[in-house]
Amino acid sequence: MYYFGDYCALALVAILSLFYFPDRRFLTRTSKLFAMCLVFIAANALLDLLTGCHQHWIGSPIWVGYLVNSAYFLCNLLTTSCIAQYLALKILEHVYGEHCIRQMRILLSIIFWPFVVIVLLNLWNGWLFYFDQQGYYRRGPLNAVGYAAVLMQMACVTVCYLRNRKYVDRSLSHALLQTFPVGVLCIVLQRMYVDIMLNSFLLSLVALVLFLNFQGPRPGVHSLTKLNDRIRFFKSVKVQIATGKPFQVLLIQVRHFSEINRRFGYLAADEILYQFAFSLERQFPQASAFHMNGTEFTLILPSATEISSQANARILLDFLDGGIFCLHQQVHLSYNVVDYLSSSQDHKAGELYEKMAYALRLARRQDLPYLRYTQNIGSQMLRRQYLADRLQTIDQEHGYEVWLQPVFCCKNQRFCSAESLIRLREPDGQLISPEEFIPLAEETGQIFQLTWFVVEQVCRLLQDPRMDSLSAVSINVPAQQMMATGFLDNLNRIADGCGIYRNRICLEFTERSIPGDFSTAKEIMEQIAGAGYRFYLDDFGTGYSNFNLLLQLPFFGIKLDKSVTTSDSGRADMALIGELTHLFHRRNLQVIAEGVETETQAQALLAEGVDRLQGYFYARPMPPEKALEFYGKQ
Ligand code: C2E
Ligand code: CA
Ligand code: CA
């Protein structure tokens, strides 16, 4: 019974060591200290067992007894010093107060060294312990002085905590709340049951608390910020839904964090993220904060009304605009916030999050720092989900139709080219506009297949003799797809397979879709143009229009966007179109005006020297059979 505590301590230390695998490359001061704690606790228990052995081998020399017992006293205090140091480091981890750490070390050694002196003096005066004439161990008058030293160490940690509690995160407060009672219990129990040696066992319990709170894997907690993780988020939302009470969820995405990584370095950027999470949690003490992943955070707030939820959102936005004080400076982060007020329709945590994630995508796309989730966004999302399913399961040959919109040539006054425009036919016969499903197909990558389908349909149409009057058909292709390997080979295979002159195929893409690597884009376009195909720049006037760069690419023509050609047909706009046309003509580029809806517009554009006109005034997009008829008659 006497050594029961020591056996338990050894077992616990052995178990903790089995689960404690600090990454050797990133050994921090705290993880080294923790390892030292484990070693000291094991040494404590072993020394205690040795003291017992000495008692039983009455014959063994008395100096062995003094040596082992003195070592035991010192080892005990070394262990508690290590634990105190560990806690102080944890408290000061994000304060970056090296001088605080130094002060703490000095304080702890002020407590430790006099104790060492007492242990040494004990060899002469027996104040701590001594051996009587029969060789039995006896407690001296200062036997409990070690506990006084431990209490002083605890006082140091408490002062350190109180002085820096502004920076201390919740998990540390929890750990301290658990460690201190264990420490006090250790002292009280040991004083009450002097015959059972509990010191080592209770120290190992403290190590267990530290392990569970800091060193070990902590399920449900994000390793970087120590906030609850996404699994806990879903659990909490589930519980909230079950209570039936309204609540608010705020989703925060910190944006352009790669920029922060570049500017400050990865370690400092981690610290910024930590401080962000920490301040976020402080800012909303009534909320539960979660670190979902990367730079995405959520807050769940009990919020009963529209007004209180708006107030919460306001506080959050003010907090975000204020920036984070970190690394001795104010760091400003850009962000998107989605604000969601739960409704009685919410049944599943996953669905709620999906809605928020969709709203977040919208906010990002539209560059909105704040977006409140509405029913309207909900219906948009449902529609999108429907379309996504539809695109997944659609049978290309029967679901899609390639329509043509004739383009009018001003020079020879007839329709000499066309643009192919895809349509999605619903089972009930209705058509879905490409404006709705093309962005989705681009996101999912299905656009690649779709482009090839359009290319094949267009080539087949061009084989028809009724299309002989048609000089070319434009196909919309995302620039990224053109840059992909094998694009030209595939295009050649289809066009040559149908026996179509390559210059009857024009590829249209927008400036926005040109990838960042401009020189590679140029090189590939030159190869494709060299093979005989033509390029048009689509939607001119809607992008950023870096003229100099654009004009270096081998375009055959430029398509002026509807927004350029339809702006009230005021004089100034027409003058601008005139100047642009002039400029493009000087560069040997053909100019096509899109969105021509009225005769006045057409006349004005003709007067400015535009080469081709496309729009409802001339012809609307039409299904292939109609197009064949249309051109056949021509
Ligand atoms: P876009 O390439 O700018 O195509 C022109 C759009 O303007 C077409 O819309 C056409 O119907 C419409 N339009 C033509 N004349 C007029 C007019 O006078 N007034 C007005 N208000 N609109 C006119 P549509 O067919 O709905 O296509 C929308 C967009 O979808 C296209 O814009 C293009 O970006 C994309 N798209 C269409 N088909 C394809 C395709 O096969 N592949 C790819 N990647 N994108 C496509
Ligand atoms: Ca186009
Ligand atoms: Ca266009």
Side-chain angles (χ1 to χ4, degrees):
M1 195 62 189
Y2 192 86
Y3 299 110
F4 177 70
D6 293 322
Y7 293 129
C8 287
L10 282 174
L12 198 52
V13 167
I15 294 171
L16 288 183
S17 314
L18 279 180
F19 286 96
Y20 180 57
F21 301 110
D23 190 332
R24 270 158 213 250
R25 290 165 305 164
F26 304 113
L27 265 187
T28 58
R29 281 194 282 195
T30 44
S31 46
K32 279 185 208 156
L33 269 175
F34 184 74
M36 274 166 72
C37 286
L38 290 183
V39 172
F40 282 137
I41 294 168
N44 249 330
L46 288 173
L47 282 169
D48 199 24
L49 290 173
L50 274 181
T51 59
C53 292
H54 169 75
Q55 284 288 300
H56 294 114
W57 308 325
I58 291 293
S60 69
I62 205 84
W63 63 267
V64 176
Y66 272 107
L67 187 74
V68 176
N69 277 283
S70 301
Y72 174 67
F73 268 84
L74 286 176
C75 192
N76 253 310
L77 205 67
L78 268 175
T79 317
T80 53
S81 298
C82 254
I83 293 173
Q85 183 92 21
Y86 181 95
L87 290 172
L89 274 180
K90 271 283 166 201
I91 294 169
L92 298 170
E93 197 172 34
H94 297 287
V95 179
Y96 290 97
E98 278 303 320
H99 73 283
C100 291
I101 295 175
R102 228 173 298 128
Q103 277 175 2
M104 187 71 186
R105 277 216 187 109
I106 294 170
L107 269 174
L108 290 176
S109 50
I110 287 176
I111 297 167
F112 182 70
W113 287 109
F115 189 76
V116 175
V117 174
I118 292 175
V119 171
L120 287 178
L121 285 178
N122 177 66
L123 301 177
W124 285 275
N125 56 28
W127 284 349
L128 290 175
F129 64 90
Y130 57 91
F131 290 91
D132 63 14
Q133 261 104 39
Q134 281 81 39
Y136 283 113
Y137 174 90
R138 295 278 172 246
R139 292 192 166 86
L142 289 186
N143 187 267
V145 77
Y147 295 116
V150 173
L151 284 175
M152 278 157 75
Q153 289 171 342
M154 283 164 73
C156 287
V157 174
T158 311
V159 171
C160 181
Y161 169 71
L162 291 176
R163 284 182 55 183
N164 296 288
R165 65 180 184 284
K166 265 202 323 212
Y167 311 100
V168 176
D169 66 45
R170 276 190 206 173
S171 63
L172 186 59
S173 307
H174 289 166
L176 288 176
L177 277 178
Q178 291 159 352
T179 313
F180 277 33
V182 173
V184 173
L185 194 71
C186 159
I187 296 172
V188 173
L189 280 180
Q190 191 61 91
R191 296 316 295 160
M192 280 168 65
Y193 304 101
V194 280
D195 288 338
I196 311 173
M197 292 311 288
L198 284 172
N199 286 354
S200 314
F201 177 54
L202 290 165
L203 285 174
S204 66
L205 283 186
V206 174
L208 178 67
V209 168
L210 298 184
F211 179 81
L212 291 181
N213 278 290
F214 308 117
Q215 295 302 149
R218 297 174 61 201
V221 173
H222 197 281
S223 55
L224 175 67
T225 55
K226 309 287 183 278
L227 288 188
N228 293 318
D229 66 6
R230 59 188 291 127
I231 297 174
R232 287 209 180 153
F233 169 80
F234 288 115
K235 279 191 187 148
S236 302
V237 172
K238 221 165 137 183
V239 171
Q240 288 285 350
I241 291 174
T243 62
K245 292 195 184 121
F247 61 97
Q248 180 183 17
V249 185
L250 290 161
L251 174 65
I252 307 136
Q253 167 118 69
V254 179
R255 293 190 64 192
H256 310 307
F257 204 71
S258 48
E259 186 59 38
I260 300 267
N261 274 325
R262 249 199 316 275
R263 223 171 94 203
F264 295 93
Y266 281 90
L267 285 181
D270 277 356
E271 181 60 23
I272 291 172
L273 220 50
Y274 171 85
Q275 290 296 348
F276 172 76
F278 177 73
S279 334
L280 186 69
E281 202 177 30
R282 285 261 153 148
Q283 189 71 35
F284 291 94
Q286 79 283 24
S288 316
F290 303 84
H291 188 167
M292 304 298 280
N293 52 37
T295 59
E296 195 181 302
F297 298 84
T298 45
L299 287 170
I300 301 182
L301 293 119
S303 176
T305 63
E306 189 77 25
I307 295 173
S308 65
S309 67
Q310 276 171 6
N312 287 335
R314 191 66 265 149
I315 296 171
L316 176 65
L317 295 180
D318 287 345
F319 159 75
L320 292 168
D321 288 336
I324 307 299
F325 189 77
C326 183
L327 309 168
H328 312 294
Q329 58 179 307
Q330 205 68 18
V331 181
H332 287 275
L333 302 169
S334 49
Y335 58 85
N336 295 115
V337 170
V338 170
D339 182 357
Y340 186 95
L341 198 57
S342 77
S343 69
S344 51
Q345 288 161 2
D346 292 319
H347 299 302
K348 285 195 183 140
E351 280 171 12
L352 180 147
Y353 180 72
E354 250 172 52
K355 290 182 194 172
M356 295 196 75
Y358 176 75
L360 182 67
R361 275 203 296 274
L362 278 188
R364 287 182 59 161
R365 209 177 300 149
Q366 295 166 21
D367 219 359
L368 298 172
Y370 172 79
L371 181 65
R372 176 161 263 232
Y373 185 88
T374 56
Q375 279 308 321
N376 195 12
I377 296 178
S379 350
Q380 262 184 51
M381 189 186 90
L382 288 180
R383 174 76 178 158
R384 193 190 131 95
Q385 275 168 351
Y386 168 77
L387 279 177
D389 284 349
R390 188 89 177 86
L391 292 190
Q392 276 290 329
T393 51
I394 202 163
D395 161 18
Q396 256 189 2
E397 290 288 334
H398 299 104
Y400 294 115
E401 290 175 15
V402 177
W403 288 28
L404 291 185
Q405 183 176 28
V407 175
F408 186 74
C409 294
C410 306
K411 206 165 113 196
N412 42 22
Q413 293 288 303
R414 55 184 192 91
F415 294 95
C416 56
S417 63
E419 175 172 6
S420 61
L421 294 162
I422 195 149
R423 300 286 179 263
L424 200 164
R425 176 79 67 184
E426 286 288 71
D428 64 3
Q430 279 202 352
L431 285 176
I432 301 181
S433 148
E435 243 144 22
E436 242 194 303
F437 68 85
I438 290 286
L440 190 62
E442 280 177 346
E443 256 175 59
T444 56
Q446 283 158 321
I447 191 71
F448 280 54
Q449 261 179 306
L450 213 60
T451 302
W452 292 122
F453 173 72
V454 178
V455 171
E456 274 169 16
Q457 298 299 312
V458 166
C459 288
R460 251 185 247 167
L461 274 174
L462 283 173
Q463 281 177 312
D464 195 295
R466 284 170 285 179
M467 294 297 229
D468 285 351
S469 63
L470 202 62
S471 67
V473 173
S474 280
I475 297 168
N476 292 286
V477 183
Q480 293 96 322
Q481 184 169 3
M482 262 182 299
M483 305 304 152
T485 40
F487 178 83
L488 180 58
D489 291 342
N490 216 13
L491 189 61
N492 285 339
R493 188 181 54 77
I494 301 173
D496 299 349
C498 292
I500 305 293
Y501 286 120
R502 292 178 183 177
N503 64 4
R504 289 184 83 195
I505 293 177
C506 300
L507 305 170
E508 283 188 24
F509 61 90
T510 60
E511 198 184 328
R512 271 187 304 272
S513 72
I514 302 176
D517 184 359
F518 185 83
S519 54
T520 314
K522 185 172 176 231
E523 203 177 303
I524 293 173
M525 278 180 73
E526 274 163 359
Q527 271 174 24
I528 299 174
Y533 303 95
R534 292 175 173 177
F535 285 112
Y536 279 100
L537 179 67
D538 204 358
D539 297 350
F540 181 85
T542 56
Y544 297 104
S545 298
N546 185 339
F547 247 55
N548 269 340
L549 280 183
L550 281 180
L551 295 180
Q552 285 173 31
L553 297 176
F555 284 114
F556 184 79
I558 306 286
K559 295 184 82 169
L560 306 178
D561 187 66
K562 298 193 261 296
S563 59
V564 179
T565 56
T566 43
S567 46
D568 307 330
S569 61
R571 284 199 62 77
D573 295 322
M574 280 305 157
L576 175 71
I577 290 171
E579 276 168 38
L580 282 173
T581 309
H582 192 63
L583 174 98
F584 291 137
H585 280 167
R586 270 214 317 249
R587 299 270 183 159
N588 282 331
L589 291 165
Q590 197 183 65
V591 180
I592 300 185
E594 288 188 307
V596 186
E597 289 182 349
T598 61
E599 192 175 354
T600 6
Q601 211 186 336
Q603 294 303 335
L605 287 162
L606 274 170
E608 297 303 337
V610 171
D611 304 288
R612 291 182 184 193
L613 299 166
Q614 176 180 355
Y616 297 165
F617 172 68
Y618 288 99
R620 287 187 174 253
M622 52 187 81
E625 325 74 62
K626 279 258 175 67
L628 288 173
E629 213 177 294
F630 181 92
Y631 285 102
K633 272 189 201 152
Q634 193 178 246

